[in-house]
Amino acid sequence: NNYTIELSYSQNFFSFEFVALNFTSPEKNKYAYLLEGFDTDWHNVSSKQRYASYTNLDPGEYVLHVKGSNNDGIWNEKGTEIKIIIKPAIWQTAFFQIITLLIIIASIYFFIRIRMKSIKLKKIELDMLVNKQTEKILADKKSLSEQMQLIAFQRQEINDSLIFAKQLQLTNYSSLNKNNKTLKDYFVYSKPKNEVSSDFYWIRRKDNTIILTVIDCISCTDDKFSASKLASSFLNNYVNKKDFENTGKLLSNLAKTLYNTFKNQKYDNQSILKVSIETAICIIDLDKNIIEFAGANMPLYRIQNNKLSIVEGNTNAITFGNDISSYNFETQEIKLVKGDIFYLFTDGYAKQTNQDDYSTFNYKRFRDLLLEIHEFPMDIQKNTLDKNIENWRKNNELSDDILVIGVKI
C-alpha cells in the first residue's frame, strides 16, 4: 500500500524502522532502502540494522522505497513505499520571495524619484540665482570681479548636481542588478564622455523571461538623464504587466511615450527636432530558447560557430519631430543555441577617432575585434575592448559615450 506523511519544515530529521515477515531464519533476512529525491542508489543493510535515518532534508516531496529478502536470498522486488512531504517555511515560498523583491524594487524606484525631483528643483533655483546675479553684474561694473567668482561657484554647484545624477544612475544600475540576478555570463562595458552619459541600459527578469534594453539619447540638451529615467519608468511598468507584448509593439509604445512627453518642449529657441533616440530591445525567452529583437537604428550582433551575423532593426531613430504614426517597429525572432554570443551596443565605440589621422574606428574593425575575442571569458572581453579603444584614440578625447553589452547563452 502507498502511504503519505506530511511534515513541517522543522521536522526534517526522521527515522524509519522496517521488518520482513519471514521468520524461518530472521537473522539472515536482508533489506535495501532508497529515498527518492535524495539518494542516488540503494542502501543495503542486514537484519541487525533495520532502520533508515535522514537529517536536514530540504523542503520538498520524497518517496522512501524499502524491499527485503528471506534467508534464501529471495527478494521481494515490489517492496513497499511511503511518500514524505516536507512543507517549506513561509520565507522559503516563492510568494514571499516575490513580495520581498517587489518591495525592494519599489523602495529603490521611489527613492530615486524623490532624489531626482530634489536635484531638478535645486538646479532651477541655482539657475534663477545665476540669472539674478548676472543682471546685477551688468548693472554694477565695479563689482564685476566679485560677481563673476560667485557665478563660477554657482556653476560648480550645478556641475556637482550633474555628477550626483550620474552617481545616482550608477547606483540604480548596481542595485537593480544585485537584486535581479538575470544573466550568468555577460559583461557591460560603459565609458561615458561627460558626467551624465547619454547611453543607458536597462535589464530585468520576469519568471524565465529576460528583457534587455540599450538606449542612446542623441540630444543638444542636458536633459538626457530625464529621457533615460522616463524610459526606465516605462519599462518598469511594462514588466509589471501580466502579459508581455512583442518587442516591436513594446518599442513602438516606448517611442510614443517619449514623443508625447517631449514634443512640446524647446531648448534655446530650438525645437525638439534636434533630440532623437537610438535603441534596441531584446526579450529572451529561456523556456522557448528564443530572442525577440526590435531596434531603432541599432542592430544586434550574433556570433555562432565563429561566424558573425548582423540582425538589423528599423533604420530610423526615434526623432521627436517625426509623425507619431511612423513609430511601428518590426519584431524579429532568433533561435538560441548554447554557446551563442550576442552583442548590443551604441555607436560610440565605432565613432572613436585615431590621434594620428583622425579616422574613426568604424564598424568593420569593431566586428573583426569581436570575432577575435569572442571565445575569451566575458571579463577578458570587456578589458580587451577597453584597452583596444584606448590604444586607438591615444590622447584624443572621447568623441561619444561608449556602451557595449555582451551575453553568452
Side-chain angles (χ1 to χ4, degrees):
N1 295 324
N2 295 329
Y3 301 93
T4 301
I5 296 177
E6 292 189 1
L7 304 174
S8 71
Y9 70 94
S10 61
Q11 296 174 311
N12 59 351
F13 180 178
F14 51 77
S15 298
F16 285 89
E17 189 173 349
F18 38 81
V19 65
L21 301 181
N22 179 67
F23 304 105
T24 303
S25 297
E27 70 279 1
K28 296 182 179 180
N29 293 346
K30 295 182 180 180
Y31 305 89
Y33 66 88
L34 178 144
L35 184 61
E36 184 180 335
F38 181 79
D39 291 330
T40 57
D41 204 357
W42 289 86
H43 298 276
N44 295 298
V45 295
S46 66
S47 59
K48 295 181 181 180
Q49 186 182 346
R50 296 181 294 101
Y51 62 87
S53 296
Y54 292 92
T55 62
N56 295 325
L57 290 177
D58 294 330
E61 295 187 3
Y62 305 88
V63 179
L64 179 65
H65 300 274
V66 180
K67 60 184 180 180
S69 71
N70 60 14
N71 57 295
D72 294 323
I74 299 175
W75 286 87
N76 175 9
E77 294 297 339
K78 182 178 180 181
T80 188
E81 64 184 38
I82 184 168
K83 187 175 182 180
I84 305 161
I85 301 175
I86 301 178
K87 296 182 177 180
I90 187 172
W91 57 84
Q92 294 175 313
T93 62
F95 175 79
F96 182 87
Q97 294 172 352
I98 291 173
I99 291 298
T100 301
L101 181 60
L102 290 176
I103 291 174
I104 292 173
I105 293 174
S107 299
I108 294 173
Y109 173 72
F110 285 111
F111 171 77
I112 291 174
R113 286 197 62 181
I114 293 171
R115 294 299 298 166
M116 289 308 302
K117 185 176 181 179
S118 174
I119 291 172
K120 190 171 182 180
L121 290 174
K122 183 178 179 181
K123 187 177 184 299
I124 292 172
E125 293 174 358
L126 290 172
D127 286 340
M128 293 174 62
L129 184 57
V130 169
N131 292 334
K132 182 179 178 180
Q133 294 300 330
T134 301
E135 293 175 357
K136 187 176 180 180
I137 289 171
L138 295 175
D140 188 2
K141 294 183 179 180
K142 293 182 180 180
S143 59
L144 180 61
S145 177
E146 179 181 355
Q147 296 300 325
M148 289 301 293
Q149 291 178 359
L150 180 59
I151 290 173
F153 171 76
Q154 291 165 348
R155 286 179 177 172
Q156 181 61 45
E157 285 195 327
I158 295 174
N159 187 54
D160 291 343
S161 295
L162 293 174
I163 294 174
F164 178 78
K166 176 191 175 184
Q167 293 172 340
L168 192 61
Q169 187 183 54
L170 294 176
T171 301
N172 181 30
Y173 292 159
S174 61
S175 298
L176 290 174
N177 285 332
K178 180 180 180 181
N179 290 292
N180 294 274
K181 295 180 179 179
T182 54
L183 300 172
K184 293 183 178 179
D185 202 3
Y186 74 103
F187 71 82
V188 176
Y189 173 49
S190 177
K191 201 176 189 68
K193 177 182 178 182
N194 299 312
E195 295 300 333
V196 179
S197 174
S198 64
D199 293 351
F200 169 79
Y201 76 94
W202 183 96
I203 181 171
R204 294 289 186 282
R205 177 170 185 161
K206 185 174 183 181
D207 300 325
N208 274 344
T209 301
I210 298 170
I211 305 95
L212 174 59
T213 304
V214 171
I215 298 175
D216 185 1
C217 297
I218 305 168
S219 172
C220 61
T221 74
D222 292 325
D223 209 29
K224 302 167 184 177
F225 189 71
S226 295
S228 299
K229 178 186 172 187
L230 179 63
S232 176
S233 176
F234 172 86
L235 292 167
N236 281 329
N237 292 333
Y238 161 74
V239 168
N240 291 331
K241 290 173 58 178
K242 183 177 180 181
D243 298 319
F244 279 9
E245 303 167 334
N246 61 52
T247 52
K249 187 175 180 181
L250 173 61
L251 184 52
S252 298
N253 288 339
L254 173 59
K256 292 171 184 177
T257 298
L258 294 170
Y259 174 88
N260 291 329
T261 300
F262 290 103
K263 64 181 179 181
N264 295 323
Q265 296 188 23
K266 294 184 177 181
Y267 301 92
D268 298 329
N269 297 320
Q270 299 294 322
S271 72
I272 200 68
L273 284 170
K274 288 192 175 181
V275 182
S276 63
I277 282 180
E278 297 176 349
T279 183
I281 298 179
C282 288
I283 297 180
I284 308 171
D285 191 327
L286 299 178
D287 290 328
K288 298 179 181 178
N289 288 326
I290 61 172
I291 294 179
E292 286 187 2
F293 168 78
N297 202 34
M298 186 177 290
L300 176 146
Y301 285 175
R302 176 195 189 188
I303 297 182
Q304 183 182 74
N305 297 327
N306 295 320
K307 294 182 179 180
L308 187 148
S309 58
I310 304 173
V311 183
E312 298 283 1
N314 290 54
T315 56
N316 296 327
I318 302 170
T319 302
F320 298 145
N322 285 355
D323 182 2
I324 195 170
S325 63
S326 66
Y327 295 143
N328 292 304
F329 296 92
E330 298 178 357
T331 298
Q332 301 190 57
E333 187 174 293
I334 307 166
K335 184 67 177 177
L336 293 176
V337 178
K338 185 177 180 181
D340 283 1
I341 302 179
F342 65 90
Y343 300 91
L344 288 175
F345 49 90
T346 61
D347 59 1
Y349 201 97
K351 281 185 175 181
Q352 300 306 315
T353 56
N354 181 271
Q355 183 185 18
D356 298 328
D357 58 6
Y358 292 97
S359 60
T360 60
F361 189 78
N362 71 47
Y363 287 102
K364 174 65 169 59
R365 290 189 179 96
F366 183 48
R367 290 192 292 270
D368 291 343
L369 177 60
L370 293 179
L371 277 172
E372 181 182 337
I373 68 173
H374 77 276
E375 294 182 339
F376 297 167
M378 286 303 189
D379 57 338
I380 302 299
Q381 291 191 43
K382 175 181 177 180
N383 293 336
T384 304
L385 286 171
D386 184 60
K387 291 179 181 178
N388 183 81
I389 206 64
E390 288 299 315
N391 291 335
W392 172 264
R393 66 187 185 88
K394 297 180 181 177
N395 294 325
N396 275 1
E397 292 184 358
L398 282 172
S399 56
D400 195 2
D401 301 310
I402 297 176
L403 177 59
V404 182
I405 298 178
V407 179
K408 184 175 184 179
I409 302 303

